Amino acid sequence: MFTKNVYSYLFNSIIKRQVHANANLISNCVEVINRNPRNLERLRIARKPQGYHLEKQFRNFWHKLQITPHKRYVVGEVVHFQNGTVISVSTNEWALKKQLYRQYDSMAYIALGKVLSLRCLESGICELHFDEEPSSKVSLLLEQLKKNNIILCEPERYIHPYPWSLFRPEKPWETQE
């Protein structure tokens, strides 16, 4: 008798807690909190810093690839314009150092490109800004980035057109299928 009441109580509580359609959830939703700080950059509507036209370093980017060769190793970094270094890879890291014969030759640049592209894709960064003139070793690194689906130019920022504008750019958040 006691177990019969427990089972009926559990069965009734499970029926009451059934998941309903998304329309019911949306109608009860009061506010939406975006927990991804890079969401506006992915939608191409975040502000890009303009900088000044007389500056030596051009600052019109969200994420920039910086390659710094040292005497005995190489460092590759992805730098965000506000927050500084987001991803950093060095041939001086133990895992890479043990796999390489030298930490600054062409194979080191290739390995650095593979690891950097893997870390970029894991963190959700697909486009990088790179504006330097590549040397022969840096071009090997860039080839590895391109081979692993990293785009080396960032898309243009979407600017909402005025009502009287003739040119209407495609909205990046709408897909045409």
Side-chain angles (χ1 to χ4, degrees):
M1 180 87 175
F2 178 72
T3 57
K4 194 176 206 182
N5 291 337
V6 171
Y7 285 128
S8 65
Y9 173 74
L10 289 174
F11 183 72
N12 289 334
S13 65
I14 289 173
I15 290 176
K16 290 178 186 176
R17 287 190 218 157
Q18 285 182 348
V19 177
H20 300 288
N22 286 339
N24 295 337
L25 296 174
I26 291 173
S27 64
N28 295 331
C29 183
V30 178
E31 67 182 59
V32 176
I33 298 172
N34 182 12
R35 295 185 182 179
N36 185 359
R38 307 272 189 260
N39 190 30
L40 296 178
E41 294 170 7
R42 300 285 294 166
L43 289 174
R44 294 178 23 201
I45 57 177
R47 185 186 69 81
K48 277 188 181 182
Q50 294 293 323
Y52 296 101
H53 66 281
L54 295 176
E55 284 182 332
K56 186 176 181 181
Q57 291 182 342
F58 188 63
R59 289 191 290 169
N60 195 7
F61 61 87
W62 287 308
H63 295 101
K64 183 177 184 177
L65 175 64
Q66 288 183 344
I67 301 163
T68 311
H70 295 279
K71 286 185 179 181
R72 298 213 178 255
Y73 61 94
V74 184
V75 177
E77 294 176 335
V78 175
V79 179
H80 189 262
F81 77 96
Q82 269 184 332
N83 302 333
T85 303
V86 179
I87 300 169
S88 178
V89 180
S90 174
T91 56
N92 206 18
E93 294 177 7
W94 184 82
L96 275 175
K97 187 192 301 187
K98 294 296 177 187
Q99 299 293 325
L100 298 171
Y101 181 70
R102 285 198 180 97
Q103 299 173 25
Y104 52 88
D105 62 349
S106 59
M107 284 306 296
Y109 279 85
I110 291 172
L112 189 76
K114 288 180 182 179
V115 173
L116 185 65
S117 63
L118 179 69
R119 290 184 186 176
C120 284
L121 291 175
E122 285 175 351
S123 64
I125 298 172
C126 301
E127 295 109 3
L128 297 173
H129 176 74
F130 186 74
D131 59 351
E132 300 170 11
E133 191 66 34
S135 65
S136 61
K137 291 181 181 178
V138 173
S139 63
L140 293 172
L141 185 140
L142 298 177
E143 285 177 22
Q144 288 299 318
L145 289 174
K146 289 178 187 175
K147 195 182 291 185
N148 292 321
N149 298 325
I150 301 292
I151 302 168
L152 293 175
C153 62
E154 287 186 333
E156 290 295 320
R157 180 176 171 239
Y158 174 78
I159 298 173
H160 189 70
Y162 292 110
W164 56 83
S165 297
L166 290 176
F167 178 67
R168 301 263 177 206
E170 182 180 341
K171 296 176 183 170
W173 55 86
E174 291 180 357
T175 57
Q176 305 294 330
E177 293 183 19

